[in-house]
């Protein structure tokens, strides 16, 4: 499969070859189910009304979305991921699936192929998000729908700020230890430029409390980050932190964000998005600001999608 840009720079912030290795390593861990809390949480939000004959899961990993789909929702699912080991260790699903190793920025499918495209917590690692959205739009059939979720700009802001302040104090400068994320203000514009219409973008937060910064780092490295293949793969990442800097960061974390019981929060911001490929039968978009439901409200997702189909 084609790979994204292999060079570093502002237009290619991530080392995609390293990301592939990280995800391949993560997929081979002995007990991956214990490491998948966030992906399970977000993957459970996928779904839609009626039946989609053919669907695509972009950045599927071990199949976090597939296990929540039924034959009444999707007749056949193509799962695409950059890591072959993830596709070799997919979870069980009641619907027929086909696995394809490919990069999210270079989808190897013909135009107007899929009725539904899904993506859960994968697109924040692509170097060219506008291109990835255009690729998804291209492979959708007219009146097809894209439903996606990705980490947002405020993800792990407590950890990010604490590490940066500590490095500035102890080392006179800082480098990224948490990868950059897209701002929600840019997301709707990027989807629109890719050709999607009748857009809905929503945000949600998942917050987990820990005893302190060291426990946050340990859990991120041992659970959410490494086992999920979520390790930082920025080209300008720093390989290690000095112990004195870590101790300073822990004190800053506690002082700035600590809870009354002594614990500290770690916040994961999730962007949920829905976009349709144009078809003559589609209704005009509703007036801006008239939305009455949230994508985070699973009980209303079917109704929301049904309304968009009218």
């Amino acid at each position: 499969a084609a790979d994204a840009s292999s060079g570093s720079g502002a237009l290619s912030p991530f080392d995609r070859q390293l990301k592939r290795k990280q995800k391949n390593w993560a997929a081979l861990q002995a007990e991956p189910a214990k490491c998948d809390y966030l992906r399970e949480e977000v993957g459970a939000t996928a779904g839609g009304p009626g039946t989609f004959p053919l669907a695509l899961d972009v950045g599927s990993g071990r199949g976090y979305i597939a296990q929540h789909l039924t034959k009444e929702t999707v007749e056949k699912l193509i799962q695409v991921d950059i890591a072959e080991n993830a596709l070799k260790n997919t979870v069980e699903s009641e619907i027929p699936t086909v696995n394809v190793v490919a990069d999210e920025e270079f989808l190897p499918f013909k135009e107007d192929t899929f009725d539904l495209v899904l993506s859960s917590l994968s697109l924040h690692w692509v170097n060219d998000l506008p291109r990835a959205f255009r690729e998804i739009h291209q492979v959708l059939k007219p009146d097809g729908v894209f439903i996606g979720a990705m980490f947002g700009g405020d993800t792990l802001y407590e950890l990010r700020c604490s590490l940066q302040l500590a490095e500035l104090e102890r080392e006179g400068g800082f480098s990224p230890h948490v990868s950059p994320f897209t701002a929600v203000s840019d997301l709707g514009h990027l989807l629109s430029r890719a050709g999607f219409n009748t857009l809905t973008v929503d945000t949600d937060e998942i917050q987990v409390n820990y005893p302190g910064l060291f426990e946050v780092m340990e859990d991120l490295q041992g659970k959410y980050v490494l086992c999920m293949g979520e390790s930082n793969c920025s080209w300008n990442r720093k390989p290690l932190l000095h112990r004195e800097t870590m101790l300073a960061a822990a004190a800053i974390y506690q002082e700035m964000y600590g809870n009354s019981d002594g614990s500290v929060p770690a916040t994961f911001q999730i962007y949920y998005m829905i976009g349709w490929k144009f078809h003559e039968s589609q209704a005009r978009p509703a007036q801006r600001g008239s939305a009455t439901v949230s994508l985070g409200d699973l009980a209303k997702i079917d109704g929301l999608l049904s309304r968009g189909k009218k």
Side-chain angles (χ1 to χ4, degrees), residues 21-299:
K21 292 178 181 178
Q22 290 171 346
K23 294 186 72 174
N24 272 324
W25 181 90
L28 296 178
Q29 298 314 294
E31 297 180 291
K34 293 182 179 180
C35 304
D36 295 342
Y37 170 73
L38 284 175
R39 291 197 183 277
E40 295 286 1
E41 181 90 358
V42 176
T45 66
T51 301
F52 296 92
L54 183 62
L56 172 68
D57 181 358
V58 178
S60 63
R62 296 177 54 251
Y64 305 96
I65 290 179
Q67 62 184 320
H68 298 291
L69 300 177
T70 65
K71 294 179 180 178
E72 289 71 32
T73 304
V74 172
E75 294 180 357
K76 184 177 181 180
L77 178 69
I78 308 297
Q79 297 183 130
V80 168
D81 200 273
I82 196 173
E84 59 272 19
N85 288 343
L87 296 175
K88 292 177 182 177
N89 292 276
T90 54
V91 297
E92 292 186 5
S93 172
E94 69 174 64
I95 61 176
T97 60
V98 176
N99 298 330
V100 177
V101 178
D103 194 292
E104 292 93 332
E105 294 181 39
F106 302 88
L107 298 178
F109 306 105
K110 294 182 179 179
E111 187 174 355
D112 302 338
T113 297
F114 298 95
D115 306 279
L116 168 68
V117 175
L118 303 162
S119 182
S120 180
L121 300 187
S122 172
L123 293 176
H124 57 284
W125 283 125
V126 302
N127 276 317
D128 192 343
L129 188 58
R131 180 193 177 101
F133 283 154
R134 290 195 301 270
E135 289 276 306
I136 290 171
H137 183 270
Q138 180 173 307
V139 301
L140 272 173
K141 293 180 179 178
D143 204 30
V145 60
F146 167 54
I147 304 177
M150 60 186 291
F151 284 122
D154 286 340
T155 294
L156 297 174
Y157 71 89
E158 306 98 338
L159 178 62
R160 190 197 316 265
C161 291
S162 300
L163 289 172
Q164 289 179 354
L165 290 173
E167 279 193 289
L168 282 171
E169 176 190 348
R170 298 303 174 96
E171 301 180 30
F174 66 87
S175 60
H177 298 282
V178 179
S179 293
F181 298 103
T182 302
V184 68
S185 58
D186 297 329
L187 195 55
H189 179 62
L190 292 175
L191 288 165
S192 179
R193 283 181 56 190
F196 292 100
N197 57 30
T198 318
L199 296 173
T200 305
V201 177
D202 200 6
T203 65
D204 193 12
E205 289 186 353
I206 299 174
Q207 192 172 85
V208 184
N209 292 319
Y210 295 89
L213 176 139
F214 289 102
E215 287 79 11
V216 174
M217 297 287 285
E218 180 181 3
D219 208 28
L220 288 173
Q221 293 174 351
K223 184 182 293 185
Y224 301 121
V225 177
L226 291 184
C227 288
M228 289 167 52
E230 287 295 318
S231 301
N232 187 359
C233 67
S234 300
W235 286 103
N236 60 343
R237 65 192 178 276
K238 191 174 182 178
L240 56 85
L241 279 167
H242 298 297
R243 177 170 176 79
E244 288 188 359
T245 302
M246 288 292 292
L247 290 172
I252 293 171
Y253 205 137
Q254 184 66 55
E255 178 66 24
M256 293 183 61
Y257 305 108
N259 299 317
S260 58
D261 63 358
S263 64
V264 296
T267 300
F268 299 87
Q269 185 180 41
I270 312 295
Y271 297 158
Y272 296 97
M273 65 202 98
I274 295 178
W276 299 83
K277 188 168 183 176
F278 177 76
H279 188 272
E280 292 290 344
S281 65
Q282 292 173 351
R284 290 179 176 273
Q287 184 177 356
R288 183 180 293 274
S290 63
T292 58
V293 297
S294 164
L295 293 185
D297 189 343
L298 300 185

